[in-house]
Amino acid sequence: MIRGLWYFLIVAVIAAVTAGIASAPGEIVATVGDTQIALSVAAALGLVALLIGLAIFSERIISFVLHGPGNVVNFWRTRKEVRGYEALSRGLLAVASGDGQSALTYAHKADKLLDKPALTLLLSAQAAKLAGDEAESGRAFRAMLAAPETHALALKGLYEHAMVAGDLEQAHTHAARALDASPATPWAFEGKFAIEARQENYAAALETLDKALGQGLLERTDARRRRAVLLTGLAQQEAARIAEPQGPRDEEDLPEGGGKSVAAIRAQALRHAIEARDLAPDLVPAAALAARLVFEDGRARRAQKIIEDGWARAPHPELAGVFMNLFPDEAAEQRYKRARVLASRNPDHVESRVLVARSAIAARRFDDARAQLASYAEPFPTRRICLLMAEISEGMGDMGGTREWLSRSVKAPADAQWVADGYRTPDWSPVVPTTGAFDRLEWRAPTDAVMPARVSSTEEAMAQMGEAVVLPAPVPAAPEPRVVSPVAPAVDAPMDRKTTSPAVAPAAPVAPAAPAPMKAAPAAAASSAPVSPSAPVSSAPGAVPAQAAVLDDIHEEIDFMPRRPDDPGPDAFDEDDERRSSW
């Protein structure tokens, strides 16, 4: 509205000026030689305006003639650039949407239309990587190294390319170059640190960690944990070198100009283990290794104190193993007392119960050991608990219970182990061997160590265990009918408790008269007829004895487990019939 008013005002002013000039009296006279030209004011102004217009038009014609080819070139160049940026934009959108083939097509189109190698090479590298063409992707990233503005991006791309190809050396080189060019680059630090830890080059990883902490790339708590894990791995390496039989054992065995003695290596390993334990008191491998190295250094009491502090935080079988070997010449009863003192620092933990149970077994306190494991023995004990219960039963002379617990251990859930990313191992390490993940191992039961889904109660679980241990008794075949001779009745004999049939007395002499043939009774009737201990049994040379009754307890007939060398035989189970039948 305001703009329209301004236009109207300008046109009105021009019209008023024109009308004023046209109505002004007088004329303009121009003399050229003998010729005199007289024009009115309005005609003179119109002629001036016409000459100005012609001059402007002529200038435009001349400018078009002179600059026309350049303008045409600029037009086509601009149009090409517009199309190139359009292809670049569509290629980036295709990369973001995951369409590798379309991204690769737009990348080639943008490369032809644009003279921007940094952008087009980046799009080509990303598109080739998305399409699975690692060779083309690597070529594009290597071409980006020449441009200073894309140098860091090219190093990152080459690092990822090397990691996909499994070339750790090349990946480490690219990460190191990027970290040297820009020390505050997070991905370069993480990549270099991860590769050094995966290659078990813990000393170099410690240097990388210190540089990253100085650049502020890590929180201090995270840096302390990583340093503790690295120092533990380094101490493990040094402790393993001590055990090498080919290594130098004394100072005089060292080669000229280098090497370390066992004492120097042990001192260094001990220093690293103690520092790792101080940085991360909950890191069990560090505490266990520190306790073992301190004990080897001759300070058993100090080692016991380290174990007690670690046990109060997190009881662990590795700590228990070091604890049991602290005093080799110690009596079993004294070790049992020490174990109870250590377990009192964390009495409700399963490892405390297992530690006391093992020391009680060594001291032949089987009742105490059974009491320690009673709450973990039912309804679904782990494999380790089953084996300990079998050892307790064997020590108490209960061979049937021993076989029962050994059989249950076959199907028992697995005990806790170091687990990470589907990998499990009893030995801790700073890096998961299968994936290379750093400090990922956790002490827990494996995921497959769960209760079977079909078992809904303790009784059903025990029934399944019973089916796995005992086989059914075989059904005896019925004897074929045969003709026997009458004999004189035998005297009463006592009953044999193992065969449930009366003992057979020696046959009496018979008369030489020809006996009358007699057919034996059917086998079914013979087996079903009650047998009295005082009933006479006929026996003669060549006669077939009656079929023995089937045993009531199938445990005395067939057992799943083979007999042990110290197994006293079936007689040892007569007093435990009630216990086995309930099982």
Side-chain angles (χ1 to χ4, degrees), residues 397-401 553 572-581:
D398 184 5
M399 303 309 300
D553 191 356
F573 301 102
D574 293 339
E575 298 178 358
D576 299 330
D577 286 342
E578 183 177 357
R579 179 186 61 79
R580 289 195 308 278
S581 60

Side-chain angles (χ1 to χ4, degrees), residues 482-486 513-520:
R482 90 169 20 176
V483 178
V484 298
S485 300
M518 181 176 62
K519 193 172 184 179

Side-chain angles (χ1 to χ4, degrees), residues 234-260:
L234 188 59
Q236 286 181 341
Q237 286 183 342
E238 293 164 345
R241 288 182 59 192
I242 297 174
E244 290 180 0
Q246 304 299 330
R249 313 310 299 173
D250 299 305
E251 293 287 347
E252 57 270 15
D253 296 335
L254 294 177
E256 296 258 348
K260 292 183 179 180

Side-chain angles (χ1 to χ4, degrees), residues 265-291:
I265 297 175
R266 180 180 286 112
Q268 192 172 8
L270 177 59
R271 184 171 64 254
H272 291 157
I274 292 295
E275 184 181 355
R277 172 186 171 270
D278 294 340
L279 290 173
D282 58 339
L283 187 59
V284 174
L289 182 58

Side-chain angles (χ1 to χ4, degrees), residues 66-157:
L66 296 178
H67 300 91
N71 292 335
V72 172
V73 171
N74 290 335
F75 169 77
W76 288 107
R77 182 182 298 170
T78 303
R79 188 170 181 271
K80 181 180 179 182
E81 190 173 292
V82 169
R83 292 172 57 198
Y85 277 114
E86 183 180 358
L88 183 65
S89 301
R90 292 186 178 182
L92 292 175
L93 292 176
V95 169
S97 62
D99 189 355
Q101 293 298 332
S102 298
L104 202 56
T105 301
Y106 286 122
H108 291 319
K109 185 177 180 181
D111 190 24
K112 294 178 181 179
L113 296 175
L114 288 178
D115 188 16
K116 302 288 185 181
L119 295 177
T120 56
L121 284 175
L122 175 60
L123 179 59
S124 300
Q126 295 295 336
K129 184 178 179 180
L130 190 62
D133 191 353
E134 294 295 336
E136 179 65 20
S137 175
R139 185 197 63 79
F141 280 122
R142 282 189 293 271
M144 292 169 60
L145 289 173
E149 62 272 14
T150 59
H151 183 79
L153 185 59
L155 288 175
K156 183 179 181 181

Side-chain angles (χ1 to χ4, degrees), residues 27 116 140 150 159 166 171 180 187 210 226 235 288 329 407 434 438 472 504 513 546 558 560 569 577-578:
E27 60 183 10
K116 302 288 185 181
T150 59
Y159 164 79
D180 293 339
W187 73 263
D210 293 338
R226 293 196 188 195
D329 300 332
S407 300
T434 54
F438 179 76
V504 181
I558 296 179
F560 180 76
D577 286 342
E578 183 177 357

Side-chain angles (χ1 to χ4, degrees), residues 34-379:
D34 297 336
T35 305
Q36 186 176 17
I37 301 173
L39 296 174
S40 63
V41 176
L45 291 177
L47 181 60
V48 171
L50 178 62
L51 292 176
I52 293 174
L54 289 175
I56 293 174
F57 179 74
S58 301
E59 189 273 335
R60 291 296 178 90
I61 293 297
I62 295 171
S63 176
F64 176 78
V65 171
L66 296 178
H67 300 91
N71 292 335
V72 172
V73 171
N74 290 335
F75 169 77
W76 288 107
R77 182 182 298 170
T78 303
R79 188 170 181 271
K80 181 180 179 182
E81 190 173 292
V82 169
R83 292 172 57 198
Y85 277 114
E86 183 180 358
L88 183 65
S89 301
R90 292 186 178 182
L92 292 175
L93 292 176
V95 169
S97 62
D99 189 355
Q101 293 298 332
S102 298
L104 202 56
T105 301
Y106 286 122
H108 291 319
K109 185 177 180 181
D111 190 24
K112 294 178 181 179
L113 296 175
L114 288 178
D115 188 16
K116 302 288 185 181
L119 295 177
T120 56
L121 284 175
L122 175 60
L123 179 59
S124 300
Q126 295 295 336
K129 184 178 179 180
L130 190 62
D133 191 353
E134 294 295 336
E136 179 65 20
S137 175
R139 185 197 63 79
F141 280 122
R142 282 189 293 271
M144 292 169 60
L145 289 173
E149 62 272 14
T150 59
H151 183 79
L153 185 59
L155 288 175
K156 183 179 181 181
L158 291 174
Y159 164 79
E160 295 176 351
H161 177 73
M163 289 297 294
V164 171
D167 191 350
L168 296 182
E169 293 296 336
Q170 283 293 326
H172 182 269
T173 300
H174 297 314
R177 289 177 60 186
L179 198 61
D180 293 339
S182 179
T185 306
W187 73 263
F189 155 68
E190 292 291 348
K192 186 172 182 289
F193 177 84
I195 293 174
E196 289 169 348
R198 187 170 184 175
Q199 293 177 340
E200 299 183 356
N201 191 1
Y202 302 128
L206 284 170
E207 295 179 3
T208 304
L209 182 65
D210 293 338
K211 293 179 180 178
L213 184 61
Q215 293 293 331
L217 297 178
L218 286 175
E219 296 291 338
R220 188 162 295 275
T221 54
D222 187 17
R224 287 172 61 89
R225 174 70 183 187
R226 293 196 188 195
R227 183 174 181 82
V229 173
L230 291 174
L231 287 173
T232 305
L234 188 59
Q236 286 181 341
Q237 286 183 342
E238 293 164 345
R241 288 182 59 192
I242 297 174
E244 290 180 0
Q246 304 299 330
R249 313 310 299 173
D250 299 305
E251 293 287 347
E252 57 270 15
D253 296 335
L254 294 177
E256 296 258 348
K260 292 183 179 180
S261 64
V262 170
I265 297 175
R266 180 180 286 112
Q268 192 172 8
L270 177 59
R271 184 171 64 254
H272 291 157
I274 292 295
E275 184 181 355
R277 172 186 171 270
D278 294 340
L279 290 173
D282 58 339
L283 187 59
V284 174
L289 182 58
R292 181 170 67 86
L293 293 175
V294 168
F295 168 71
E296 293 176 358
D297 197 40
R299 294 177 289 173
R301 296 297 178 185
R302 172 62 177 163
Q304 183 172 348
K305 180 65 169 58
I306 293 175
I307 294 175
E308 290 175 355
D309 293 342
W311 199 271
R313 292 184 176 90
H316 195 274
E318 195 170 354
L319 292 173
V322 178
F323 173 82
M324 297 293 283
N325 296 324
L326 283 181
F327 302 98
D329 300 332
E330 185 180 33
E333 187 67 25
Q334 183 64 27
R335 183 173 297 173
Y336 169 71
K337 294 179 181 179
R338 285 198 307 112
R340 292 186 66 89
V341 173
L342 179 62
S344 65
R345 291 182 170 271
N346 208 325
D348 297 330
H349 200 278
V350 60
E351 296 299 335
S352 298
R353 300 295 185 89
V354 170
L355 173 65
V356 176
R358 283 181 171 175
S359 58
I361 292 173
R364 304 195 65 80
R365 290 175 170 262
F366 299 111
D367 291 334
D368 293 346
R370 186 186 294 273
Q372 291 290 331
L373 302 179
S375 58
Y376 297 96
E378 297 297 341

